[in-house]
Amino acid sequence: MMGSLPQVFGQADLPAQVSVYEVSARDGLQAEPVTLPAAIRVELISRLAATGLSTIEAGSFVSPKAVPQMADTRSVLDELDLDSGITYPVLAPNRRGLEDAMAARAQDIAVFVSVTESFSRANLGDSLEVTTARNRDVAAAATSAGMRVRGYLSMVFGDPWEGPVEPSQVVGAAGQLLDAGCTTISLGDTIGTATPGHVTAVLQALIEADIPVEAIALHTHNTYGQALANVYAALQSGVSEFDASAGGVGGCPFAGSATGNLATEDLLWMLDGLGISTGVDIRAVAETSQWLSRQLGKPLSSATSAAIVDQ
Amino acid sequence: MMGSLPQVFGQADLPAQVSVYEVSARDGLQAEPVTLPAAIRVELISRLAATGLSTIEAGSFVSPKAVPQMADTRSVLDELDLDSGITYPVLAPNRRGLEDAMAARAQDIAVFVSVTESFSRANLGDSLEVTTARNRDVAAAATSAGMRVRGYLSMVFGDPWEGPVEPSQVVGAAGQLLDAGCTTISLGDTIGTATPGHVTAVLQALIEADIPVEAIALHTHNTYGQALANVYAALQSGVSEFDASAGGVGGCPFAGSATGNLATEDLLWMLDGLGISTGVDIRAVAETSQWLSRQLGKPLSSATSAAIVDQ
């Protein structure tokens, strides 16, 4: 009965094409209480690859004691075709992680830097100066070795301990990561508090500081329901890369809310409706989310998945 | 720990002030399987009034057999102070309903017209011509009697049976309701499929047809997660009245999704962050939603409520 896809009404001032950076298999799963074995994560990634997604974060080279959900990332990579044209980045937050990533033949890594002192100490275990230097070092070494490096910035739009974050702090942190060789900076609304005017203000500050908009991605959380409105605002500033997680998997680490990452299929519904090309099949993503929901034994937060699959 | 409210980043081209048209006590509750007694509905409305909301839909004068959730709307109105400055509209879809509304001393009513033939027959029980004429007649009679009349348009952005809806259909239907005396036209995305470009296209069509933007409200559903992005698009076209439901109460009647109406507190989070004045206290709304959740015996869909109350 229900129309299967949104009507298309394009807008001339938006990017014609958008890259979806799929994070469910790393950022999503590492926030879930259930640890999926490597074989299931390989199946998830393969299903995601079949939807048309061209960038799928595949794992993390961190201590399996600290993040058991990402244990055996090496064996996940061993099962993937790393020369298929699909990009499978892995998180490598220190030299040891970088060495492991190289040994696993990873071509793309991601590093992780906080914009704020408090989050650096609470989440990354050291001062902002130390954690930033460590990740810049990893980025520079990986770049020298011919790898592509993405820089995640967290707490870009507010910090649960420090409160407000000034756009100038973001500009400084982004510039340091670009100088260290990162090709993309992903702006993380880690606690989900951002609203569209805030997103626009930060993006304008970055653009005015001559950071190319092509090097900027946005990583939204739907903790306060703002994720897609923030994406729409960022599209209007020219951003054309967005992080999203199939089914919205990955809870917010700070609020009791069930909603964490922006769901890939909710993002695709909007992009499809705006006539923006992604190359991704929204129904195939929704089906993958339903499969993932069964693996995790819990309902996922994507509104679109629930509505599409009911049809 | 969590920052209690969003940082404010205003945008000069958006309305400085927005009216929130609260629908939980009518549109929301009538879609819920549990029927709340009139006394609880009065308490809900009183709690909503205490949050600063200035327009709270209070009930519906329809057959209690068809809509048992709205039975005893007369006794709800009897308990409200109709001269307090807060507006308490009631739905009056036919002459009988209008007479009942007048007898209850209602000053504001709402009528309901479909944009599409299929929905008119399925939901309103008669042809589009007949149901439109009936509601125009009610609107004209109420206007003559000095009442204010709001016109709801449903299926503005798509119909589950007919599929695509042309903006020109919306322009025609809106013009008819304004001619009949309606002061506001609420554009309903009944099945939640609209995306921001679609909202912009319909609004531009209405504005080009000389329908004043001040007479336009938007009623979004979050079935595909698009509600707030659509509100942001509408703000950019100058719309300054939005329908919302505390906690997001009121499921979508067509999809299996848990998400229906846009949650008032999710809307307020965005408007507060944009520095747009509403006069409504977001925390008080979130507390009211939690209370309502207990009355209905189910969790509600508002992301913001879950996140705020956890703090």
Side-chain angles (χ1 to χ4, degrees), chain A residues 94-305:
Chain A
N94 50 40
R95 279 281 190 163
R96 166 74 186 275
L98 176 60
E99 285 160 19
D100 290 347
M102 285 172 165
R105 299 182 302 110
Q107 296 162 4
D108 292 77
I109 67 158
V111 298
F112 211 97
V113 166
S114 175
V115 174
T116 65
E117 186 70 41
S118 304
F119 185 71
S120 177
R121 291 184 184 272
N123 191 269
L124 307 175
D126 225 324
S127 73
L128 184 59
E129 191 178 344
V130 168
T131 60
T132 301
R134 185 191 303 147
N135 280 277
R136 289 182 64 186
D137 171 60
V138 171
T143 304
S144 298
M147 302 169 91
R148 286 173 301 239
V149 185
R150 178 182 229 238
Y152 278 107
L153 283 181
S154 58
M155 299 297 168
V156 165
F157 301 95
D159 177 297
W161 300 277
E162 296 185 17
V165 172
E166 289 305 314
S168 58
Q169 288 173 260
V170 182
V171 172
Q176 286 189 328
L177 285 178
L178 288 171
D179 290 345
C182 291
T183 53
T184 307
I185 308 299
S186 174
L187 307 175
D189 182 18
T190 314
I191 57 174
T193 54
T195 51
H198 195 168
V199 170
T200 303
V202 168
L203 291 171
Q204 292 311 312
L206 289 165
I207 292 165
E208 278 165 27
D210 290 330
I211 291 177
V213 73
E214 297 75 20
I216 301 172
L218 185 68
H219 183 109
T220 57
H221 278 182
N222 210 29
T223 320
Y224 296 83
Q226 312 295 310
L228 260 190
N230 290 338
V231 168
Y232 184 57
L235 285 168
Q236 294 181 323
S237 287
V239 172
S240 62
E241 180 169 321
F242 295 95
D243 299 5
S245 176
V249 66
C252 173
F254 296 100
S257 169
T259 51
N261 281 310
L262 170 62
T264 307
E265 50 272 56
D266 294 11
L267 171 64
L268 290 171
W269 188 276
M270 187 173 83
L271 297 175
D272 286 352
L274 287 164
I276 294 172
S277 164
T278 63
V280 188
D281 178 342
I282 185 172
R283 287 189 168 275
V285 173
E287 283 159 16
T288 300
S289 297
Q290 295 294 326
W291 172 86
L292 179 56
S293 170
R294 293 192 293 275
Q295 306 307 313
L296 291 169
K298 60 178 265 194
L300 302 181
S301 64
S302 166
T304 298
S305 252

